[in-house]
Structures are given as C-alpha cells and as structure tokens.
C-alpha cells in the first residue's frame, strides 16, 4: 500500500470509529440495541479506492446517488466482496434498468413508473431488489428533495409488494433542510407504523445523515446514510 493509501485508510478508519461511537451513544440514549441500526456509508463523489478501503475496514453497506458514477466505479473490479450496494439518488424510469443491474437496495422509489421499470430491469437481470419508498417530509413546497407525498406512500408500497422481482423493505426519507429534524422523523416513524399494519415485513426506516443521525436513531431509524462524517467533504478530495 502506498503512503497516500495508508494515510487515507487511517483517516477513514478514524472517521468510521467516531461515527460508530456516535451511533452506539445514540442507541444507548434511545434504549435501543445497536444491532437494530445499520450504517450505510455514502461514497458518492469519492473514488473506487475508497470503496475498497471501506470494505477492508468492515463496511458492509455502501450508498451511491448517481447511476453513471456508481456503474463506473463498480464496473472497475465489481462490487467489493460482502458489500451490499444501495441506490439513494433520484431515479428516472429510463435509468432504472441500469440501476437494477448493480444495486441490491433501491431506497429512492417514489413513482409508479419507476416501480414498473425497476421490476422489469430486475426480472431481466434475474435479480431481486429490496426497495424502499421515499417519503417527502417537506410540508411546504419550497424545496423538495425527492419522495412521494405521505398520502401516496401506502399505495406505492402495495405496488412494490405486488411486483415480481422487488421486495418491499420499508421507507426512506431525507429531513427537510434548515429545521429541527425531530418532527419530520416522528412523522416518518408514524407512517412506518401504518405501513407495517399491512406489510409487517417492511421494517426498514432509512433516515439520518451525518448531521442528524442522533435524531433519526431516537425516532426509530434502522438504516443511517452517512457520507461527509466518514469520507470528508468533496472539496478536500477533488
Ligand atoms: C449524500 C446523501 C447522504 C449523505 O449525506 P451526508 O450529509 O454527507 O452524511 C444521505 N442521503 C442521501 C439521499 C444523500 O444524497
């Protein structure tokens, strides 16, 4: 390993340890078992070499938000062994077939057209994908970051559950910018409860990022999507 690689490995290891410590503390404050909360490390903007270092450091789930960037990184040597790949970006139906070839989990499904396209893509590739319905938690329409309106979520979930090659995992959301994330995360938890009445196996709640993972854990998140706190900011790594 070159000196630069060793330096990067040490940096990622230290950041990962700090994030795992934050998660452990948040779980203990919330009275939750740490095994209930999974860390998805978001590697968008960062090179393939970081994926390999993270896999070597024991990371089992990585997240990407742009189809072309992810495909290029994963084509170069395949998915690191033992790693599950999550697509977390906005998804157009014309890109769904490509995503279905490499993603194990698609967290950002918010339209019937995308469900149909992913199902076709997964069936054609002979794969089964876990799908989360993304919920728009932004009550006022100022800045939407993707996701279905809460009133549409249960119907979309039914549609995923009826498909051939998609398994309904649960819900995903991004907290609205610039406000206390707790009320929106509480609304997400409530919606997850309603979903589990008809789909008891759809237990995943993907919420919480670098800045708000503690609030997400407090409100029942099962999956956290953490980028910056582990990989750093994009500017410092080109
Ligand atoms: C980039 C991204 C994250 C990670 O955000 P950080 O603030 O860097 O931890 C999480 N979720 C989605 C949907 C993202 O696009």
């Amino acid at each position: 390993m070159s000196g630069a690689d060793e330096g990067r490995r040490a940096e990622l290891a230290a950041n990962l340890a700090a994030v795992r410590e934050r998660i452990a503390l948040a779980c203990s404050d919330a009275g939750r078992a740490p095994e209930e909360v999974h860390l998805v490390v978001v590697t968008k903007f960062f090179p393939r070499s970081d994926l390999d270092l993270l896999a070597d450091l024991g990371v089992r789930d990585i997240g990407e938000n742009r189809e072309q960037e992810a495909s290029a990184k994963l084509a170069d040597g395949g998915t690191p062994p033992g790693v599950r790949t999550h697509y977390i970006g906005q998804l157009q139906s014309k890109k769904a077939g490509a995503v279905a070839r490499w993603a194990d989990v698609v967290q950002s499904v918010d339209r019937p057209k995308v469900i149909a396209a992913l199902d076709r893509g997964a069936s054609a590739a002979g794969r089964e994908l876990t799908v989360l319905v993304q919920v728009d938690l932004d009550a006022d329409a100022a800045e939407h970051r993707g996701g279905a309106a809460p009133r549409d979520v249960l119907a979309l979930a039914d549609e995923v559950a009826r498909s051939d090659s998609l398994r309904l995992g649960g819900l995903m959301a991004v907290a609205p910018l610039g406000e206390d994330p707790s009320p929106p995360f509480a609304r997400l938890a409530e919606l997850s409860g309603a979903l589990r009445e008809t789909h008891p196996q759809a237990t995943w709640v993907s919420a919480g990022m670098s800045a708000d993972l503690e609030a997400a854990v407090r409100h029942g998140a099962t999956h956290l999507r953490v980028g910056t706190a582990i990989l750093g900011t994009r500017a410092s790594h080109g």
Side-chain angles (χ1 to χ4, degrees):
M1 203 180 270
S2 76
D5 284 349
E6 268 178 43
R8 182 59 171 157
R9 189 181 201 283
E11 183 181 5
L12 291 175
N15 291 347
L16 256 179
V19 166
R20 285 184 174 138
E21 182 62 33
R22 281 175 66 190
I23 297 171
L25 204 63
C27 284
S28 122
D29 283 350
R32 300 184 59 198
E35 305 81 52
E36 289 175 26
V37 179
H38 301 269
L39 172 63
V40 179
V41 180
V42 178
T43 48
K44 68 187 185 204
F45 307 139
F46 289 90
R48 168 63 197 223
S49 53
D50 281 349
L51 267 65
D52 293 322
L53 290 171
L54 289 165
D56 194 50
L57 290 166
V59 168
R60 288 294 159 257
D61 292 272
I62 59 135
E64 288 281 340
N65 78 334
R66 288 187 303 180
E67 197 290 313
Q68 273 176 318
E69 179 189 336
S71 286
K73 276 187 220 173
L74 297 171
D76 189 6
T79 304
V83 170
R84 257 197 313 196
T85 53
H86 299 243
Y87 186 76
I88 62 171
Q90 293 195 24
L91 188 53
Q92 301 154 323
S93 47
K94 66 177 199 286
K95 291 283 177 72
V99 168
R101 281 195 287 278
W102 60 262
D104 298 302
V105 182
V106 179
Q107 298 205 358
S108 43
V109 165
D110 60 3
R111 271 165 297 158
K113 253 178 95 169
V114 165
I115 295 171
L118 271 179
D119 192 30
R120 275 196 307 277
S123 296
R127 308 187 67 225
E128 183 175 87
L129 310 184
T130 295
V131 161
L132 308 186
V133 176
Q134 184 177 350
V135 186
D136 184 357
L137 294 176
D138 219 337
D140 58 59
E143 200 205 330
H144 287 282
R145 307 174 84 185
R151 65 178 173 281
D152 296 331
V153 165
L154 297 181
L156 288 169
D158 288 342
E159 199 155 326
V160 172
R162 273 196 304 271
S163 68
D164 293 324
S165 302
L166 309 179
R167 197 188 72 79
L168 178 66
L171 302 179
M172 179 274 235
V174 178
L177 277 175
E179 56 180 271
D180 176 3
S182 286
F185 284 159
R187 295 202 296 279
L188 180 66
E190 206 173 300
L191 200 53
S192 167
L195 174 67
R196 281 178 279 123
E197 282 175 21
T198 43
H199 299 283
Q201 80 292 352
T203 55
W204 293 30
V205 179
S206 173
M209 323 201 308
S210 294
D212 57 16
L213 70 88
E214 285 83 3
V217 168
R218 212 155 47 234
H219 292 284
T222 62
H223 290 72
L224 308 172
R225 309 176 309 270
V226 180
T228 317
I230 293 168
L231 288 126
T233 52
R234 171 156 67 148
S236 63
H237 292 279

